[in-house]
Amino acid sequence: MNRKMKRRVSGLLIGIAFIGIIVLLVMTFSDGRHSEYVAKAITLKHDVDEPHAEIARLKRQLALLKKKGCNLEEDLISLPVIFAVTPTYARPEQKAELTRLYQTLLLVPNLHWVIVEDAEAPTPLVKNLLASSGLSHTHLHAHTPPAQKLKAKDPHWAKPRGVLQRNTALEWLRSDGPLKVAPINPDGEPLGVVYFADDDNSYSIRLFEEMRYVQNVGVWPVGLVGGLMVERPLPSSDGRGVASFNAGYKPERPFPIDMAGFAINLATLRNHPDAKFLYEVQPGYQESQLLKQLTTKQELEVLADNCTKVYVWHTRTDKPKMREELQWKAQGRPPSNQDIEV
Ligand code: UDP
Ligand code: MN
């Protein structure tokens, strides 16, 4: 190689090294900037006070800690179990309601869904929905006697709904069933709290963490019920339970509160084996019927920021109109949902 060639090669090598250094520098800086952005995004996420984001974050942390050999699940399973009791019955919107509900319940740690079908036997629709939900669950059924069933033309308040189904759930809750699901205290009793979660209400997942450590009976406001924007217990100024309720509908009731507005410690229910719902009470008295057997106004545990926050709404779903479906039937055409579960 002559001198000229040598100079060219070394020039080329210096050039390549120079470009390499530039590329490395750019990569390092851009990478640094990138991780800065990621860090910012994570910080922002933490700032957003959203429980589902928090749960997702904690799940990721749990996975990480498990990888490192920690066993946090031991602690997680010692949380009291929330037993959500849902009566449900077959109608066009049933699967939509149950899908909405179970996908909310999936975001709640240590929750057991006690679903009670108003049917002579468990239906495949509910059975398959439960199986595919991934939720811990118990599937019960109890058929409302025809005399107690609402007729098509009846107003919805003419008959109490879900009475037999909730009582069936109460029986299960007092059996050995919960022992297989919940952590057990030193007396051999299951640790949990019971909540009556109708299939058509709307629930914030914050509600469930409010109720988890209820000692006896906990209460909170319910939105869109009793003809008011919000029905709520009014806490005593001396810190002892509830002084009164703001209800407009039948305020003379012992507990003028909706089914969605309270949760009961499982031990309280197991210590009062006869406490249950009854068909033979006036409309609007189901909640009072149960609660007066278990507690007093002064003993109620006031939750949801002293009953100033709404985490559950008594929404009701419009009955879907089936005009075309009925016309098709009259014309002898097959239903739109033939072989399709809706
Ligand atoms: N429900 C039932 N059988 C019926 C009517 C209602 O099991 O014949 C269930 C329903 O799915 C819901 C609960 O009982 O979970 C309360 O019923 P609904 O929402 O109609 O009562 P409302 O909101 O009018 O008090
Ligand atoms: Mn309802």
Side-chain angles (χ1 to χ4, degrees), residues 208-230:
F208 300 95
E209 294 323 311
E210 289 292 322
M211 71 176 75
R212 194 181 296 278
Y213 292 100
V214 160
Q215 295 298 300
N216 189 33
V217 178
V219 290
W220 49 78
V222 178
L224 316 179
V225 73
L228 294 178
M229 281 300 290
V230 56

Side-chain angles (χ1 to χ4, degrees), residues 45-56 204-206:
K45 262 195 196 135
H46 281 208
D47 289 346
V48 180
D49 186 22
E50 280 299 308
H52 57 270
E54 186 68 0
I55 289 170
S204 162
I205 53 174
R206 284 171 193 268

Side-chain angles (χ1 to χ4, degrees), residues 10-23:
S10 56
L12 201 69
L13 284 176
I14 290 169
I16 289 171
F18 184 70
I19 289 168
I21 287 167
I22 298 269
V23 167

